Amino acid sequence: MSGSVKLLQRIHKSNILRLLNRSKSYEQISSLHSYVRKSSALQKRHLFESRFKGSAWQYAAQRSHVSSVSLQGSRNKDVTLNQEGLLLCYGHYNLDLPYVWLRDHCRCDVCYNHETCQKNVDNYKLDLDIKPTLVTFDGTVLTLEWPDKHLTSYNIDWLLENSYHDQHNDRVEKLLWNKDVMTATTEQPMVPCKDFMHSESGLKAHVKNLLKFGFSIVTEVPADHKGTLAVSQRLTFIQPTLFGPSWTFTSNMAFGDTAYTTLGLKAHTDNTYFMAPSGIQVFHVLEHNGTGGETLLVDGFHVAETLRRNNPAEFECLAETVVPHEFYDKEHRVRSLGTVLTLHPTTKELLSIRYNPYDRSPLHTVPPNQIRRFYKSYAALSEEIGKTDNEFWIKLKPGMVLFVDNWRVMHGRSAFIGQRRVSGCYLPRDDWFGQARLLGFQNL
């Protein structure tokens, strides 16, 4: 009987391959990665190998170095080895995994600190030409042994979420909407203040609304600035800007901005003049003794996807052309550079829309031979944004606090008369998305 056949039989008989299924493999790897972290590297190595006593991994760790890569496991037909990496076929996913990437991302306790969630970069030296000596895949866990006998294991779910491929998906599916969709939906994005402030289910409902619709309203909030801040800080901390840590404003031109007038505002996103615009804008109408002043919402992702479908060349232009925006007054000179549309680098899904004709500054970033192309593309997007079919109007009343995803949903208002006082603030993008990840809603 050949040596390779004997090795294959040992693998199939080993306890580890009989026990590693989708649920148990995760527990075993987690257990392996959570043992006492104060142990020395040698102790950790000994404990790692002792966990797999009698298994193919222990056998592999005791083998002498071989120059070629050995492929084993009950599902080895799903793995194809090449000179620089391996191809792993799993369902409709085809993962291209370079060897150096697999070594660099090892999550064992020698290579990764599970208390700080940081890499132990000083514990190993990365070799760009590294190749494993043994690769094993059982349908759930991919394990590699390296020339120095180091072992690396990955659960397939971790690989699907963290490796490079074009099928990364949000865990909450976005509902791209227009006026008809929002009017017809029975699941209005509203959460009572009591539930939002005092239960995890209320917080989760609010965050899910933000991910699905791009906005959410907390109702029955005390109609004062303190109430605005309380519900805002329930989600994350407040982001100070040049407008202050927060604000209560009327049409008094306290800043050189159209928002501080009684004029109507067309749909736009805020902070386009920042290199990283704020993630959420919070609105709370504390009082309005007059008429008008309805709030306008437009789903920027819906209109952008409509443009991509109907005018792909214009969409591409807005995703490639860097545009400057600015905020100028007596005390501030703020300018940014960024594309109107930002796409995910692998899936090409929309990550953000940066659209504010009021704040667009001189186009010193667009070559003369590209000016006509840009204006045509920008006009096509503006036309789509301005269609009444895409406009959803809300009359905010005291006690209704509106949270708007400033990277997706554009806002505006109708002109008004009378005393209108609005409370609000900005929330940082990274931190409200972090809250979504903590709640299990977001993975991008």
Side-chain angles (χ1 to χ4, degrees):
M1 186 179 293
S2 68
S4 61
V5 173
K6 290 181 180 179
L7 177 60
L8 187 59
Q9 288 178 340
R10 296 192 67 169
I11 290 173
H12 283 291
K13 291 179 181 178
S14 63
N15 292 331
I16 186 64
L17 289 181
R18 291 201 306 269
L19 294 174
L20 284 178
N21 54 38
R22 176 169 295 276
S23 60
K24 293 182 180 179
S25 63
Y26 179 80
E27 295 173 0
Q28 188 163 13
I29 292 172
S30 298
S31 172
L32 185 64
H33 288 172
S34 62
Y35 61 81
V36 181
R37 295 173 178 84
K38 294 182 180 180
S39 304
S40 67
L42 182 60
Q43 290 172 322
K44 291 176 181 179
R45 173 66 184 176
H46 175 72
L47 181 55
F48 195 108
E49 293 178 351
S50 67
R51 288 292 182 93
F52 296 107
K53 185 177 181 180
S55 70
W57 276 271
Q58 184 191 38
Y59 173 81
Q62 295 171 347
R63 294 187 313 127
S64 59
H65 173 72
V66 295
S67 59
S68 60
V69 183
S70 176
L71 176 60
Q72 306 291 344
S74 59
R75 295 289 295 273
N76 62 5
K77 65 181 184 302
D78 298 326
V79 179
T80 302
L81 305 178
N82 56 48
Q83 187 67 18
E84 296 186 353
L86 61 87
L87 300 176
L88 176 60
C89 178
Y90 185 81
H92 61 280
Y93 294 96
N94 293 291
L95 305 182
D96 187 351
L97 305 171
Y99 294 136
V100 65
W101 185 95
L102 289 164
R103 180 62 187 90
D104 180 47
H105 289 80
C106 181
R107 276 343 192 220
C108 81
D109 281 4
V110 174
C111 301
Y112 191 82
N113 188 324
H114 291 267
E115 292 180 345
T116 66
C117 297
Q118 293 175 299
K119 292 164 63 66
N120 291 329
V121 295
D122 294 331
N123 284 7
Y124 64 95
K125 183 178 179 180
L126 198 61
D127 178 4
L128 295 179
D129 298 318
I130 194 169
K131 294 179 179 62
T133 56
L134 177 67
V135 175
T136 302
F137 183 58
D138 71 343
T140 302
V141 175
L142 176 71
T143 298
L144 306 98
E145 179 201 1
W146 304 102
D148 62 355
K149 310 307 180 190
H150 190 86
L151 298 176
T152 297
S153 293
Y154 293 106
N155 185 280
I156 187 63
D157 292 331
W158 190 95
L159 290 172
L160 291 174
E161 184 170 332
N162 292 283
S163 63
Y164 181 97
H165 60 85
D166 61 0
Q167 298 179 70
H168 289 284
N169 295 313
D170 290 329
R171 291 175 181 166
V172 175
E173 185 177 356
K174 297 179 180 68
L175 175 67
L176 304 188
W177 52 263
N178 57 13
K179 179 177 67 176
D180 289 342
V181 171
M182 287 307 306
T183 302
T185 185
T186 58
E187 184 187 359
Q188 291 296 323
M190 295 185 178
V191 180
C193 180
K194 183 178 179 180
D195 293 343
F196 176 62
M197 294 297 293
H198 301 294
S199 72
E200 183 176 345
S201 61
L203 175 62
K204 292 180 73 171
H206 183 63
V207 173
K208 187 174 181 180
N209 287 341
L210 285 167
L211 295 170
K212 182 176 180 178
F213 297 96
F215 73 96
S216 184
I217 298 173
V218 180
T219 61
E220 304 170 17
V221 179
D224 53 35
H225 189 56
K226 184 178 179 181
T228 308
L229 298 183
V231 294
S232 299
Q233 291 171 316
R234 169 66 168 149
L235 181 57
T236 186
F237 64 88
I238 292 170
Q239 178 183 10
T241 67
L242 56 87
F243 297 101
S246 60
W247 57 82
T248 299
F249 71 90
T250 61
S251 52
N252 59 5
M253 282 300 293
F255 286 88
D257 192 289
T258 312
Y260 290 79
T261 71
T262 62
L263 300 174
L265 290 169
K266 294 183 178 180
H268 64 281
T269 60
D270 266 24
N271 302 156
T272 52
Y273 38 77
F274 293 160
M275 292 300 292
S278 299
I280 287 178
Q281 183 160 12
V282 178
F283 296 97
H284 187 186
V285 177
L286 301 180
E287 65 171 321
H288 183 198
N289 301 317
T291 59
E294 290 83 4
T295 296
L296 167 65
L297 298 176
V298 176
D299 187 348
F301 285 7
H302 169 75
V303 298
E305 290 296 352
T306 302
L307 183 69
R308 173 158 32 191
R309 183 171 61 251
N310 297 336
N311 297 285
E314 283 78 2
F315 180 94
E316 183 180 4
C317 174
L318 297 177
E320 295 177 347
T321 306
V322 174
V323 180
H325 292 82
E326 63 187 12
F327 178 89
Y328 282 9
D329 65 10
K330 293 180 180 180
E331 298 181 356
H332 304 93
R333 291 290 185 272
V334 182
R335 179 176 286 184
S336 72
L337 297 173
T339 55
V340 176
L341 303 176
T342 303
L343 308 181
H344 189 280
T346 58
T347 66
K348 305 306 176 185
E349 292 183 358
L350 283 159
L351 290 181
S352 72
I353 179 170
R354 183 192 296 254
Y355 178 85
N356 193 324
Y358 301 98
D359 294 332
R360 188 160 49 77
S361 64
L363 293 174
H364 59 83
T365 56
V366 183
N369 63 347
Q370 296 294 318
I371 283 291
R372 287 179 61 86
R373 176 175 178 252
F374 170 76
Y375 279 128
K376 179 183 177 183
S377 303
Y378 200 80
L381 178 63
S382 299
E383 181 182 358
E384 193 65 38
I385 291 171
K387 290 181 179 178
T388 57
D389 290 347
N390 291 323
E391 296 180 341
F392 182 59
W393 290 89
I394 304 174
K395 180 64 176 180
L396 294 177
K397 299 178 181 179
M400 299 173 63
V401 180
L402 170 65
F403 291 67
V404 179
D405 180 352
N406 189 51
W407 283 35
R408 171 183 169 183
V409 172
M410 294 170 283
H411 66 274
R413 70 158 186 247
S414 63
F416 65 91
I417 60 174
Q419 174 73 9
R420 185 175 184 267
R421 190 161 58 96
V422 180
S423 171
C425 61
Y426 292 115
L427 306 179
R429 164 74 172 192
D430 290 334
D431 295 274
W432 91 260
F433 251 49
Q435 181 70 266
R437 293 187 186 97
L438 286 173
L439 294 173
F441 285 144
Q442 192 70 14
N443 63 334
L444 290 184

